[in-house]
Every structure is written in structure tokens, then in C-alpha cells.
Amino acid sequence: MAPKQSASAPVRKAAAKPAKKDFNGGTIAEFNKNDELSAYREMLLIRRFEEKAGQLYGMGFIGGFCHLYIGQEAVVIGMQMAMKEGDQVITGYRDHGHMLATGMTARGVMAELTGRRGGYSKGKGGSMHMFSKEKHFYGGHGIVGAQVSLGTGLGFANKYRGNDNVSIAYFGDGAANQGQVYESFNMANLWKLPVIYVIENNRYAMGTSVARASAQTDFSQRGASFGIPGYQVDGMDVRAVKAAADEAMEHCRSGKGPIILEMLTYRYRGHSMSDPAKYRSKDEVQKMRSEHDPIEQVRARLLEKGWATEDELKAIDKDVRDIVADSADFAQSDPEPDVSELYTDILL
Ligand SMILES: Cc1ncc(C[n+]2csc(CCOP(=O)(O)OP(=O)(O)O)c2C)c(N)n1
Ligand SMILES: [Mg+2]
């Protein structure tokens, strides 16, 4: 039986689970200098973007719901590094990182957060509702679990059309208890659909810990009764995510059907901007930040291997900050949509 995940336990490495060794050998992907530098830059972009979004929210430029992805960056970047053009991404409301990972612009995402014309949904969708057909990003969904059925539909479309695209459906530990998830699992394996279900287990659904809400806390096993293989991955180590993603892509593209990757990860900020976070201790958050931070891990390796100097890393940070600052300026100066936009893009 899989050990239970306690709130204070460090994130487990895939290697710590011998039964799962045959999946990726419990290994981490070999990263060369370019891989490390690019993972560092892409994760940093998400982190700085989210910090800025938090600031703009505090200043009143962003209204409504806003869920930050800080702490979970390695998940989307590791997955993205294994994807090819045409693969689709769909997720819930904690979606800014997923969009930036697909290459959607910081300007377009930030302007959507502030409800401006230049936003991906013309300022009418906000944080939880953005899409980009060009980047194969299918949202951005506020209904917990909805993206799992829709992502399964994307997999069905791929199979029906006979292409070799894979759909990646991200959802949380809380969403994993939704009924439609299991209807989707059943169809997905019955029809051998190319879908990777990425369960981002950040240990909490709003304020409810996994242990309080889930009878089976090993989410990698949630597809067992449908015959869907699943594996736990250290979601704080971008190399472990990339290794698991490579294997999962191969599984899907070779026609074996869906697969589940449970990413053991952690969010540093509250569930949304109005979360007092009384359900966990500051020590717990601090421990994750200091011992498992996904960006710090890459930074330490780059310095240790002599692949980058402090100055070079500072230059990357400055570059990233410039992109984010530009997006924030744009998001504040771009006009709001015209009132006539209330009558467009709607189903009558
Ligand atoms: C169908 C539905 N039920 C409830 C909610 C309210 N709600 C929003 S987020 C959330 C928790 C989801 O947690 P999890 O899936 O772990 O994702 P995380 O926020 O941790 O990324 C809930 C219950 C909702 N948006 N939709
Ligand atoms: Mg969660």
C-alpha cells in the first residue's frame, strides 16, 4: 500500500517508490546547459508574472477571482519541455502559468486579468477564462473538474482525426474527487484516447487538506479500476517532471491510451487572493520554499556546474522582469472594451 502523504513530509522523489521504478526508473531527465537555462528562465517568468499579478490585484487593477501558481512552476515547464507542436493543454482556474508555458504572451494574459481590450478574451473573461487556438490552449475553466471531460474530448478529437497529438488535462487534488473525472477515465481507456491526466497535488483544495477530503490519497492510483496506469512524480523537480512527461507522451503516442501523472507539488500563496490560509502553518510553507523550491534547485545546479555566473542569472532575471513590467504597463494603459462588446462572442 502506498504510504500516506503527510502535510509536513517533504515531497517524495519518484525514486523513493520502488514499485514504480519500471516507469521511468525513478530517474530524472538529463538536462544539458541549455535545458537548465531555459527551464530557469521559463519558471522565473511565471514566478515574476504571478508576483506582479498579486501586486496589481492589491492595487485594485484586477477584480474578481485570481489564483496564483507560485510554487508549482516546475509542473507546467517540465510538461511543456516534452510537448510537440499540436499537443493541447487544458486546465482549471489556476491557469496563468499554463498559458505562459505554452508561449502565450505576458501582455495578453496580464491585460485579460485587468479586463482590457488587448487581453486574450478581449477583457471579457478575466483570470479564469482565457484561450488561444494558436497555442493550442483550451482554457481556463472556473468549474472544478470541467476541464477533465473537455480534455478527454480533445483526446477523442485527436484519435478521430488520426493525428498524433496528445491532450494534456491538468487538474487539482480537489478536482480529482469530482464524478465527471471518472466518467472521463472510463471513456478514455475504453477508447484508448491519447490524454495525459496531470493531477497537480498541491496538498489542498481551497482550505481542505488532501487527508481530510480524500479516501484514497495516492492520486496516481485513481485510474486503477479503469486500467489506466498512473505514477507519482516529484513535481518540484523540473527534471523529474520532464522524464515522466517523456514517458507519458510515448505511452499516448504509441496508442496505449490515457495515463495519469500525479505531480507532488505545493502552492506558496493562498488558494485565491482572499485566503487567510489558516489551515496550514507558516513553517510548513517556509520549509517547502527553502528545501524544495523548483527555481532555486535549477539555480543551484547552474551555479554549481559553472553553467552560469551570478551575473548571468541576474541578467536573466532582469530580462524577465522587463517582460513582466511591460505587460503590467500595457495592462494598465490599454483601454477597457467598448460597451458594444457586451453583445459579441455570446451564444443566443
Ligand atoms: C463544481 C465546482 N465546485 C466547487 C467550486 C469551488 N471551488 C473552486 S476551487 C475549489 C478547490 C479545488 O481544489 P484543487 O482541485 O485541489 O485545485 P487547486 O485550487 O489546489 O489548484 C473549489 C471547491 C467550483 N469552482 N466548481
Ligand atoms: Mg489542490
Side-chain angles (χ1 to χ4, degrees):
M1 190 176 166
K4 285 232 155 62
Q5 193 187 342
S6 87
S8 58
V11 167
R12 282 167 290 173
K13 296 266 179 197
K17 299 204 70 181
K20 309 243 168 81
K21 266 196 172 166
D22 56 349
F23 176 54
N24 59 16
T27 53
I28 46 180
E30 279 290 326
F31 271 21
N32 61 27
K33 181 179 165 181
N34 278 344
D35 296 332
E36 294 279 31
L37 280 170
S38 129
Y40 181 72
R41 189 188 160 86
E42 301 305 316
M43 290 197 288
L44 203 57
L45 176 64
I46 296 174
R47 172 98 26 123
R48 299 285 176 255
F49 181 95
E50 293 291 64
E51 287 166 355
K52 183 59 85 182
Q55 281 169 15
L56 293 186
Y57 197 96
M59 291 160 73
F61 283 107
I62 299 172
F65 282 109
C66 182
H67 310 82
L68 303 181
Y69 195 62
I70 296 177
Q72 300 182 214
E73 297 92 345
V75 176
V76 288
I77 295 305
M79 290 301 300
Q80 195 70 33
M81 288 174 92
M83 285 166 61
K84 68 157 187 57
E85 172 64 25
D87 293 339
Q88 304 115 331
V89 171
I90 189 165
T91 186
Y93 43 82
R94 198 177 300 287
D95 55 355
H96 313 160
H98 302 68
M99 292 186 276
L100 294 174
T102 65
M104 288 168 68
T105 65
R107 272 189 168 210
V109 179
M110 199 67 95
E112 190 56 45
L113 298 186
T114 55
R116 306 303 171 110
R117 279 180 202 183
Y120 272 103
S121 296
K122 302 183 201 164
K124 298 188 286 183
S127 165
M128 305 193 287
H129 306 109
M130 280 181 255
F131 311 87
S132 168
K133 247 185 116 178
E134 185 202 350
K135 298 291 179 191
H136 315 289
F137 180 76
Y138 288 81
H141 296 271
I143 301 300
V144 168
Q147 73 272 28
V148 182
S149 316
L150 296 170
T152 306
L154 290 169
F156 180 82
N158 293 333
K159 177 120 186 179
Y160 186 75
R161 291 173 177 157
N163 62 38
D164 70 343
N165 296 338
V166 171
S167 123
I168 294 129
Y170 291 89
F171 55 107
D173 45 278
N177 292 329
Q178 267 264 359
Q180 62 185 312
V181 169
Y182 299 92
E183 295 181 42
S184 304
F185 282 179
N186 182 53
M187 281 186 223
N189 206 27
L190 181 66
W191 295 333
K192 298 287 173 227
L193 306 181
V195 185
I196 303 178
Y197 295 107
V198 178
I199 304 180
E200 296 196 62
N201 179 0
N202 60 9
R203 301 187 185 186
Y204 299 94
M206 295 187 81
T208 312
S209 73
V210 160
R212 287 183 62 212
S214 294
Q216 161 59 286
T217 57
D218 183 342
F219 292 97
S220 69
Q221 297 308 304
R222 288 295 184 97
S225 64
F226 305 97
I228 304 177
Y231 303 93
Q232 281 185 322
V233 182
D234 180 351
M236 302 299 272
D237 183 343
V238 67
R239 300 167 308 169
V241 176
K242 166 73 161 60
D246 281 340
E247 297 277 347
M249 291 288 178
E250 168 58 26
H251 178 94
C252 287
R253 285 197 226 285
S254 62
K256 292 187 187 133
I259 188 164
I260 294 171
L261 297 179
E262 178 191 357
M263 299 291 172
L264 298 166
T265 182
Y266 199 77
R267 72 166 153 73
Y268 296 171
R269 296 289 185 96
H271 167 74
S272 65
M273 302 307 293
S274 56
D275 175 5
K278 289 196 174 133
Y279 47 85
R280 63 182 183 185
S281 68
K282 286 197 174 123
D283 283 354
E284 181 187 306
V285 183
Q286 196 40 48
K287 196 169 157 57
M288 286 303 293
R289 290 193 86 125
S290 57
E291 294 177 14
H292 297 280
D293 186 77
I295 300 175
E296 281 305 315
Q297 289 186 41
V298 180
R299 184 187 153 77
R301 284 198 300 271
L302 279 166
L303 290 171
E304 189 196 311
K305 291 187 174 152
W307 285 349
T309 62
E310 288 277 4
D311 282 348
E312 283 162 345
L313 294 181
K314 265 189 203 144
I316 295 176
D317 197 30
K318 182 176 180 315
D319 251 20
V320 164
R321 280 180 196 275
D322 287 349
I323 294 170
V324 171
D326 167 75
S327 77
D329 289 345
F330 178 67
Q332 290 167 75
S333 58
D334 195 41
E336 290 184 353
D338 193 79
V339 176
S340 62
E341 282 289 346
L342 283 170
Y343 301 96
T344 63
D345 307 317
I346 51 173
L347 290 172
L348 293 171

